[in-house]
Amino acid sequence: MAALELHKPEIDEEEDESPVEEVRLTVSNEDDPSLPVWTFRMWFLGLLSCVLLSFLNTFFGYRTQPLMITMISVQVVTLPLGKIMARILPETKYRIGSWEFSFNPGPFNVKEHVLISMFANAGAGFGSGTAYAVGIVDIIMAFYKRKISFLASWILVITTQILGYGWAGIMRKLVVDPAQMWWPTSVLQVSLFRALHEKDKARMSRGKFFVIAFVCSFAWYIFPAYLFLTLSSISWVCWAFPKSITAQQIGSGMSGLGLGSFALDWSVIASYLGSPLVTPFFAIVNVIVGYVLIMYMVIPISYWGMNVYEAHKFPIFSSELFDSQGQLYNISTIVNDKFELDEVMYQREGRVYLSTFFAITYGIGFAAIVSTLTHVALFNGKGIWQQVRASASAKVDIHTRLMKKYKDIPSWWFYSMLAVSIALSLVLCTVMKDEIQMPWWGLLLASFMALIFTVPVSIITATTNQTPGLNIITEYLMGVLLPGRPIANVVFKTYGYISMSQAISFLNDFKLGHYMKIPPRSMFLVQFIGTIIAGTVNISVAWYLLTSVENICQKDLLPPNSPWTCPSDRVFFDASVIWGLVGPKRIFGRLGNYPALNWFFLGGLLGPVLVWLLQKAFPTRSWISQINLPVLLGATAAMPPATSVNFNCWIIVGVVFNYFVFKNCKKWWQRYNYVLSAALDAGLAFMGVLLYFSLTMNGISIGNWWGAEGENCPLASCPTAPGVRVEGCPVF
């Protein structure tokens, strides 16, 4: 099939090196166009990987410790499977007219492997786990207890994914072909592919190591997932002080600061932050600094030292919404029959309050967004501008010239896809408007924002590996333009920001294919088919769980220690209330409790300027240039729903493997580190699914004993203000 995509343009044979050193050191300057790519092996393993990852990531996304299986796991697993298929499949050639094919056209090659991984990446939501729009369906059905049809849900999921594909096609020539747009994460993937395809003659091959680690992970996960739930958060401080609220607030890994808490559960370690084994050490250090600064300095001072925003009335760590008396806010009472804010009932219920931690993390999020733009402009702006100018005027590099051997993707493919997705979206916003609330003009405005932001954000990502999180901008804007409609707000955010984010993910994959010399039309079809399949599996699994698991996402109504608590959807629901239902004016404006948090925008704007001035004033102090405020401020962006025990374990494992093991056992690390990460993910995933279908669905539990009661920190969520009454907590 690769041969069908070849053509013979006039090519300058001059051998130019890539102008980017990292690319020169990692990416091969050679290509073999004769390697088959559209093979039975590629389709079988690619489709299987896409379906499997879509299913597993959606299935585990509703659990207290959601597991996200990424493309890296599939990269490692499918290599031995592809080689096995190359050995056992018949080599017989079949002919249909002038077309000849074989189930086994030769050895399993790296180009097949790349396309399989692209299928898997679509199944993994391009690194996000599941399609973002599934969260909209979750909050409508599980939190607001309203109805949405499966057809509307499917159109919403598919169009938000494909719309980003259209933007990617428009921008491809600008941010993929130029050598200066080098996409650091794609270079990392190239390095892994090349390492995996080296000949492995060691006694302990990567395949053997994977099987051993997989079996161990599979066997162990039954303990923290079923037999001994306390292993998922070992908070010994709570056990030492069973009657002290303060001690449990400090020691709880799930509802407090998590001092000393840890877990013996890979799902806890890899949840929210991804596998620490594949995170560079410098990034781990930045997360450590930001986490310690916010969790162990800012929050304790705000809570115990200053009682910021009446902190003592609420839990120290919570993503719930509260009323002025410290009770959970009854959201259902302020939603009218039209699924809009009932202003009379809102006045009766009063303002919405946040825990101090939740409020401060919103402020830090404001600062992180603006600081990213300021930091990139000051520290990378000149280089980005030079690269943009060079990409428009410089000669193409060796990789772009090699890619000219293959037929390019016709522009009308992208434009057609964009037109169809916008047309379907307009149907959703007109014919099915009652289900998603957003008017047609909201779709056009969101699409315009996505188009405008895709270019600068993709350039920033391609050159600095930093992607500004602009989601709050879309939430804030729609909250001002159309307050009182929660679903309209999250739909607008999804079409406006997430479609842009999807476009950047598509472009990243395009650059990986560019480096690996994958025929462009093959990339297009694999990404398109994978996206349709993944979105369909995502919404199908979600629909099954939402309609079959009783009280899913309702923590207070679920059985004790039920895993179906949906922490990510809880935060998404709260965001829909804050930005959509109640609106930013009643939360962060003059009608709300938190207008002071808007000053964080100014702090984020000026913070990088201060660092930049310090660097200019003290050029010999190299440590100043290492201060990256967007990373430091964004370190706790996953909290909530992530908790302190997730961070503690992630940091410990990351430091051990990416510092100590890397420094002292580098050969072992190079051979087995990524393999171990994939094996731990895979073993946990298969045991988790097995436990659900064999035990959980049949209502078989381990019974009541101390180790099955979870963390055992019942007082960690208690308020400490006088007169606040909460069930299970002492009254001061």
Side-chain angles (χ1 to χ4, degrees):
M1 188 66 190
L4 297 178
E5 298 193 17
L6 292 175
H7 71 124
K8 298 180 179 180
E10 295 183 3
I11 300 175
D12 180 5
E13 294 298 328
E14 181 185 353
E15 290 290 337
D16 288 342
E17 292 285 347
S18 171
V20 181
E21 183 179 6
E22 290 85 348
V23 176
R24 289 199 302 271
L25 295 173
T26 307
V27 182
S28 172
N29 289 344
E30 299 178 355
D31 178 36
D32 182 0
S34 66
L35 290 177
V37 291
W38 278 32
T39 64
F40 172 77
R41 295 178 303 230
M42 187 279 289
W43 285 107
F44 177 79
L45 293 176
L47 291 172
L48 179 64
S49 300
C50 183
V51 172
L52 197 58
L53 261 65
S54 304
F55 169 77
L56 291 174
N57 282 321
T58 308
F59 180 85
F60 280 95
Y62 292 88
R63 297 168 71 91
T64 304
Q65 300 295 347
L67 173 70
M68 187 172 68
I69 305 174
T70 64
M71 178 177 75
I72 289 180
S73 298
V74 170
Q75 282 177 274
V76 175
V77 174
T78 53
L79 178 60
L81 293 178
K83 290 183 176 180
I84 290 171
M85 293 181 73
R87 290 178 184 173
I88 64 175
L89 287 176
E91 298 180 3
T92 307
K93 293 184 178 180
Y94 301 90
R95 185 179 296 276
I96 301 177
S98 60
W99 183 44
E100 185 181 78
F101 75 97
S102 171
F103 286 105
N104 191 354
F108 184 67
N109 67 74
V110 68
K111 293 191 178 185
E112 293 175 275
H113 199 187
V114 172
L115 288 173
I116 291 168
S117 299
M118 287 185 177
F119 258 128
N121 206 24
F126 297 94
S128 63
T130 187
Y132 193 84
V134 171
I136 300 174
V137 181
D138 293 340
I139 64 172
I140 291 175
M141 297 178 66
F143 289 92
Y144 286 110
K145 300 296 183 181
R146 301 300 173 106
K147 293 182 179 180
I148 183 172
S149 67
F150 182 83
L151 178 60
S153 303
W154 183 82
I155 293 175
L156 181 63
V157 169
I158 297 300
T159 54
T160 51
Q161 302 288 92
I162 298 301
L163 192 62
Y165 207 17
W167 307 141
I170 294 173
M171 310 304 169
R172 188 167 55 96
K173 293 295 182 183
L174 177 63
V175 294
V176 173
D177 289 353
Q180 290 78 11
M181 303 293 138
W182 65 286
W183 296 86
T185 53
S186 292
V187 175
L188 174 65
Q189 292 296 326
V190 172
S191 177
L192 179 57
F193 276 116
R194 295 190 68 179
L196 289 174
H197 282 267
E198 291 175 356
K199 292 185 178 180
D200 193 351
K201 297 180 180 180
R203 181 178 179 183
M204 177 61 72
S205 67
R206 290 186 179 91
K208 291 179 182 177
F209 184 88
F210 176 84
V211 171
I212 293 171
F214 170 84
V215 171
C216 292
S217 175
F218 179 83
W220 172 253
Y221 188 59
I222 192 173
F223 292 97
Y226 185 72
L227 298 175
F228 198 172
L229 302 180
T230 300
L231 294 175
S232 292
S233 183
I234 301 173
S235 301
W236 56 270
V237 174
C238 297
W239 311 344
F241 302 95
K243 296 183 179 180
S244 171
I245 293 178
T246 302
Q248 295 198 19
Q249 287 175 325
I250 294 172
S252 171
M254 298 294 292
S255 304
L257 303 184
L259 190 65
S261 68
F262 63 98
L264 299 176
D265 180 355
W266 180 251
S267 71
V268 174
I269 297 168
S271 293
Y272 305 111
L273 297 169
S275 172
L277 300 183
V278 300
T279 304
F281 181 65
F282 77 89
I284 295 173
V285 172
N286 278 287
V287 171
I288 292 172
V289 174
Y291 172 64
V292 171
L293 178 67
I294 294 168
M295 203 66 180
Y296 296 117
M297 294 181 67
V298 174
I299 298 304
I301 292 172
S302 301
Y303 187 86
W304 286 294
M306 303 175 65
N307 193 27
V308 174
Y309 295 127
E310 300 181 88
H312 296 166
K313 281 187 176 182
F314 316 108
I316 189 172
F317 184 98
S318 175
S319 61
E320 302 277 5
L321 306 179
F322 300 91
D323 61 22
S324 60
Q325 302 304 312
Q327 307 300 311
L328 290 176
Y329 203 98
N330 190 350
I331 302 297
S332 61
T333 61
I334 63 171
V335 183
N336 62 21
D337 294 338
K338 296 180 180 179
F339 208 166
E340 299 173 1
L341 178 68
D342 188 324
E343 297 201 21
V344 174
M345 291 303 298
Y346 174 75
Q347 294 298 327
R348 184 179 301 174
E349 289 289 325
R351 293 181 176 182
V352 173
Y353 287 76
L354 313 176
S355 71
T356 299
F357 177 85
F358 202 17
I360 289 175
T361 54
Y362 259 119
I364 292 170
F366 295 164
I369 291 168
V370 180
S371 70
T372 301
L373 300 177
T374 310
H375 179 90
V376 169
L378 290 172
F379 291 91
N380 307 101
K382 185 177 180 181
I384 290 174
W385 177 243
Q386 289 174 345
Q387 289 176 333
V388 170
R389 292 182 62 186
S391 67
S393 59
K395 293 189 300 180
V396 295
D397 70 344
I398 180 65
H399 306 294
T400 302
R401 285 208 310 277
L402 289 172
M403 286 299 290
K404 287 185 177 181
K405 295 178 182 178
Y406 302 99
K407 292 182 180 179
D408 199 6
I409 306 169
S411 296
W412 69 266
W413 288 16
F414 290 107
Y415 293 135
S416 299
M417 194 175 301
L418 184 61
V420 170
S421 60
I422 289 179
L424 278 174
S425 302
L426 284 171
V427 170
L428 190 65
C429 294
T430 52
V431 179
M432 304 178 183
K433 181 184 175 183
D434 292 342
E435 299 187 61
I436 58 133
Q437 294 189 329
M438 192 171 76
W440 62 269
W441 58 262
L443 171 67
L444 298 182
L445 177 60
S447 300
F448 177 75
M449 288 184 66
L451 180 61
I452 294 300
F453 278 117
T454 297
V455 175
V457 173
S458 59
I459 290 174
I460 291 170
T461 305
T463 54
T464 70
N465 205 32
Q466 295 183 37
T467 304
L470 304 175
N471 53 317
I472 289 180
I473 293 176
T474 55
E475 291 174 318
Y476 219 132
L477 177 62
M478 196 59 172
V480 172
L481 293 177
L482 201 64
R485 299 186 185 183
I487 305 306
N489 190 278
V490 291
V491 170
F492 181 84
K493 174 175 68 173
T494 305
Y495 276 110
Y497 168 63
I498 299 304
S499 66
M500 181 206 72
S501 180
Q502 286 295 116
I504 293 171
S505 298
F506 285 134
L507 290 167
N508 203 350
D509 263 7
F510 272 127
K511 192 65 177 185
L512 173 61
H514 186 86
Y515 285 144
M516 300 302 296
K517 318 302 180 294
I518 308 298
R521 297 187 179 190
S522 296
M523 283 191 285
F524 176 92
L525 290 172
V526 163
Q527 287 183 303
F528 173 67
I529 295 170
T531 302
I532 298 294
I533 292 173
T536 303
V537 174
N538 286 159
I539 191 60
S540 299
V541 175
W543 198 268
Y544 168 74
L545 292 174
L546 289 168
T547 55
S548 64
V549 178
E550 188 175 359
N551 296 320
I552 189 170
C553 305
Q554 302 298 312
K555 190 174 181 179
D556 296 337
L557 301 177
L558 287 166
N561 299 313
S562 170
W564 305 106
T565 56
C566 316
S568 297
D569 288 325
R570 161 58 61 180
V571 175
F572 193 58
F573 167 70
D574 290 343
S576 75
V577 174
I578 291 169
W579 299 106
L581 182 63
V582 178
K585 289 182 180 179
R586 296 185 177 92
I587 301 288
F588 303 109
R590 58 184 177 81
L591 301 178
N593 296 314
Y594 308 100
L597 293 179
N598 289 300
W599 287 103
F600 277 85
F601 284 113
L602 181 61
L605 180 69
L606 298 179
V609 176
L610 178 61
V611 176
W612 184 77
L613 291 174
L614 285 172
Q615 184 188 32
K616 294 296 182 183
F618 305 99
T620 59
R621 306 290 176 85
S622 59
W623 62 270
I624 296 177
S625 63
Q626 301 300 314
I627 299 175
N628 190 316
L629 281 182
V631 177
L632 293 179
L633 293 171
T636 55
M639 302 177 73
T643 62
S644 52
V645 70
N646 298 117
F647 274 78
N648 291 350
C649 298
W650 187 87
I651 288 169
I652 292 170
V653 174
V655 170
V656 168
F657 280 90
N658 289 325
Y659 180 74
F660 292 105
V661 175
F662 179 81
K663 182 179 180 180
N664 300 302
C665 306
K666 186 170 290 187
K667 288 186 178 180
W668 186 97
W669 189 94
Q670 289 174 331
R671 286 183 59 80
Y672 302 121
N673 185 65
Y674 291 137
V675 179
L676 177 61
S677 177
L680 291 171
D681 281 350
L684 184 157
F686 285 108
M687 175 55 79
V689 173
L690 178 63
L691 287 173
Y692 175 75
F693 287 106
S694 61
L695 299 175
T696 306
M697 280 190 67
N698 297 314
I700 303 173
S701 65
I702 194 63
N704 295 322
W705 74 288
W706 176 82
E709 294 176 359
E711 186 184 37
N712 292 293
C713 295
L715 303 180
S717 298
C718 289
T720 55
V724 178
R725 297 179 179 274
V726 174
E727 185 178 354
C729 295
V731 180
F732 292 89

